[in-house]
Every structure is written in structure tokens, then in C-alpha cells.
């Protein structure tokens, strides 16, 4: 069932668990994540960066594929199709294509401009029943060409943006897209605590979910994080499983070169990663 992310995140915040956003790259990714969510009776958010959207032939293709898959696979758990780190124009294109949720990443604008643009997007999105994520501070590292300096969010700015009526708020708290460097000093729980105090009921979003230790994830959830984004970890799992298959020469045995066989270990690896994260985030059985 394609829905906005609003209700599932309100429930997650009240129930002290988090819903996973898993970024998609192609048909296999989308199908694996949807099937795992259904099997585990978990709500789920499919994340689409603008780069991945382009790769998959545009937002219309992505939205149509997702809707068709939800119907054909009989997916009844709540699924949000969410634009990840959207530009202003990108957010409008995704909404028009049928996405049920968008992130407007205005973190690189001055706060006044971020507020103006966010307001406009909220008004138009809410009129169409679409949820909105905004970002304050910046997520470090690079994702699909979006580069963030890793500035830690100012809790007062978070409150300003939350008060505009966004449905979820991403705040930079030392989190990074991609793998964490060996000298990473961890999440700024002191800042998260202040943000949570100032923003109250607002579901908070933790980007850069790959490689954050389980105890930090649990603590972040206890401090109000209700949505956790995971991208790189599924890519690493897919790549490692595919490598094992090919290095074992399986593609050379019989019809092992058939893409349905060649991609199967990677698909299983994505499913296992998504399952592990849903267990850690506490979203299993929370679809009803
Ligand atoms: P990772 O690639 O580090 O898991 O981050 C995903 C993310 O935050 C998507 O916005």
C-alpha cells in the first residue's frame, strides 16, 4: 500500500522504534525490499536519490514500477516512496510523478531561504497528501553527487524548520553517508537530545545508517529518531555476494550466467541486510 510517511513515522515515534528507509537502485532492489517488509510485516520507506532516479529512467518510471510491484506482489504493509536529498525542482518533479513523500534538502541555503523554499514545498505537498522531510545542518560525506560538509545542526534552527510543519526532520549530528572513517568520533547525542527537547513530537531522521554501531542506533531511537536511512550497506552486501558467486565460477557452470541466477545471491544479501536492520530498528510486526 503506497502511503505518505506521516502516519508510519508518528506511530514509530510514539512506539519508540524507527522505520528504515532503504535506497533503491533498480528492480531487484525494489522487489527485495518490498518482499522483506511484507514478510516481516514492517512499514518501509523506499528512498530514491535524484541520481538513482535518473539511472532508473526518471521519477515516472520509478513511481510506476513501484506502484505496479506493490499491486503485483500483493504488498499490504505501508510503503512510502520518498525522494532522498531532493533539490527544489526535483521535489516538484517527484511529487508530479507520484512519489508519496519528498525530502527537500535546503541545508546548503542560508536559513531564511531554506525556510521560504521549505514552506512552499510543504504547502504544495500537503495539499496532495505527500509528506515532507527537511534537513538542518548537513550530513557529511557524499551520496550520488550530493556532498555535505557534516555541519552539526543548530537545535534552534531545527525548531524553526519543525514549526513550519514538516513531517520529519533530518539533523546533522556527526553522521556521514557511506562508510565511517576509522577516526570517526561517533554521533553527537548531546545535540540530538537538545533537538529532541526543542522539537517534541517531530519524528527525527538519522541519515548515514550504514556502519553506525547497534548500541548507537538504539540510543538514537531512544532520543527521538524514528526514521533511519540505509543505502551503502545494501550495496556492499549485494557486491560481496555477487563477487563470491563469480569468483566461485558459478556463472560459468550450466546456465549460471542467466541474470536471474547471477543476481540471485545479491538479492538474498539485500534481503538479509534489510531484515537485520528492521530487527535492530524495531519495526518488525509494526505494519498494522
Ligand atoms: P548510507 O549510505 O551511509 O547508509 O546513508 C544513506 C542515507 O543517508 C540516504 O540518505
Amino acid at each position: 500500500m503506497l502511503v505518505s510517511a506521516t502516519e508510519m513515522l508518528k506511530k514509530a515515534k510514539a512506539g519508540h522504534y524507527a522505520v528504515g528507509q532503504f535506497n533503491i537502485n533498480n528492480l531487484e532492489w525494489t522487489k527485495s525490499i518490498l518482499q522483506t517488509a511484507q514478510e516481516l510485516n514492517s512499514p518501509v520507506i523506499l528512498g530514491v536519490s535524484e541520481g538513482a532516479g535518473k539511472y532508473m529512467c526518471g521519477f515516472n518510471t520509478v513511481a510506476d514500477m513501484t506502484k505496479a510491484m506493490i499491486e503485483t506482489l500483493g504488498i499490504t504493509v505501508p510503503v512510502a516512496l520518498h525522494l532522498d536529498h531532493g533539490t527544489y525542482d526535483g521535489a516538484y518533479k517527484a511529487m508530479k510523478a507520484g512519489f508519496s513523500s519528498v525530502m527537500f534538502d535546503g541545508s546548503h541555503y542560508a536559513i531564511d531561504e531554506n525556510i521560504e523554499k521549505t514552506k512552499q514545498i510543504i504547502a504544495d505537498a500537503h495539499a496532495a497528501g505527500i509528506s515532507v522531510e527537511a534537513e538542518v545542518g548537513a550530513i557529511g560525506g557524499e551520496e550520488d553527487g550530493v556532498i555535505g560538509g557534516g555541519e552539526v545542526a543548530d537545535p534552534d534552527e531545527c525548531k524553526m524548520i519543525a514549526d513550519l510543519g514538516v513531517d520529519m526532520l533530518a539533523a546533522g549530528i556527526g553522521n556521514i553517508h557511506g562508510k565511517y572513517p576509522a577516526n570517526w568520533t561517533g554521533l553527537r547525542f548531546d545535540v540530538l537530545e537538545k533537538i529532541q527537547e526543542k522539537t517534541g513530537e517531530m519524528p527525527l531522521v538519522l541519515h548515514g545508517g550504514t556502519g553506525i554501531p547497534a548500541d548507537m542506533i538504539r540510543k538514537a531511537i531512544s532520543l527521538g529518531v524514528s526514521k533511519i536511512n540505509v543505502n551503502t550497506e545494501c550495496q556492499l552486501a549485494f557486491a560481496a555476494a555477487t563477487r563470491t558467486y563469480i569468483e566461485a565460477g558459478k556463472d560459468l557452470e550450466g546456465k549460471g550466467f542467466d541474470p536471474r541466477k547471477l543476481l540471485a545471491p545479491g538479492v538474498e544479501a539485500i534481503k538479509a541486510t534489510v531484515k537485520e536492520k528492521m530487527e535492530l530498528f524495531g519495526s518488525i510486526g509494526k505494519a498494522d
Side-chain angles (χ1 to χ4, degrees), residues 30-38 46 69-70 73 75 79:
T30 315
K31 186 175 164 191
S32 314
I33 297 165
L34 288 176
Q35 285 179 324
T36 307
Q38 183 68 25
L46 302 177
M69 239 184 231
I70 287 173
L73 296 172
I75 305 292
V79 178

Side-chain angles (χ1 to χ4, degrees), residues 104 106-107 109-118 135 161:
F104 169 54
S107 59
Y109 293 108
I111 186 73
D112 290 347
E113 194 169 359
N114 189 356
I115 286 177
E116 268 326 296
K117 288 190 155 65
T118 304
E135 176 170 327
I161 297 279

Side-chain angles (χ1 to χ4, degrees), residues 42-184:
S42 169
V44 73
I45 299 170
L46 302 177
V48 182
S49 67
E50 293 203 358
K54 242 181 231 161
Y55 174 77
M56 290 185 275
C57 296
F59 294 149
N60 285 324
T61 309
V62 177
D64 290 353
M65 171 182 75
T66 303
K67 285 178 196 163
M69 239 184 231
I70 287 173
E71 194 184 321
T72 307
L73 296 172
I75 305 292
T76 54
V77 297
V79 178
L81 179 62
H82 179 77
L83 175 66
D84 191 24
H85 292 284
T87 57
Y88 186 77
D89 290 345
Y92 278 95
K93 282 186 187 147
M95 290 196 268
K96 191 161 174 256
F99 279 48
S100 62
S101 187
V102 292
M103 173 182 187
F104 169 54
D105 180 356
S107 59
H108 48 281
Y109 293 108
I111 186 73
D112 290 347
E113 194 169 359
N114 189 356
I115 286 177
E116 268 326 296
K117 288 190 155 65
T118 304
K119 259 189 193 166
Q120 193 58 55
I121 288 178
I122 291 170
D124 293 325
H126 284 182
I130 295 167
S131 49
V132 178
E133 174 178 343
E135 176 170 327
V136 180
I139 315 304
E142 183 266 346
E143 184 179 61
D144 257 343
V146 179
I147 297 167
E151 298 89 354
V152 172
D154 171 351
D156 290 316
E157 284 189 10
C158 289
K159 168 137 184 66
M160 265 195 274
I161 297 279
D163 286 349
L164 300 177
V166 293
D167 304 282
M168 58 203 119
L169 182 72
I173 51 166
N175 38 340
I176 299 170
H177 286 131
K179 291 182 184 174
Y180 284 81
N183 62 355
W184 182 55

Side-chain angles (χ1 to χ4, degrees), residues 21 23 84-85 143 176-178 207-210 229-232:
Q21 171 190 307
N23 285 49
D84 191 24
H85 292 284
E143 184 179 61
I176 299 170
H177 286 131
H207 282 246
T210 297
N229 293 5
V230 178
N231 184 8
T232 308

Side-chain angles (χ1 to χ4, degrees), residues 18-20 36-44 77-78 278 283-287:
V19 178
T36 307
Q38 183 68 25
E39 192 185 309
L40 301 177
N41 197 32
S42 169
V44 73
V77 297
M278 286 178 166
S283 69
I284 293 178
K286 298 290 194 325

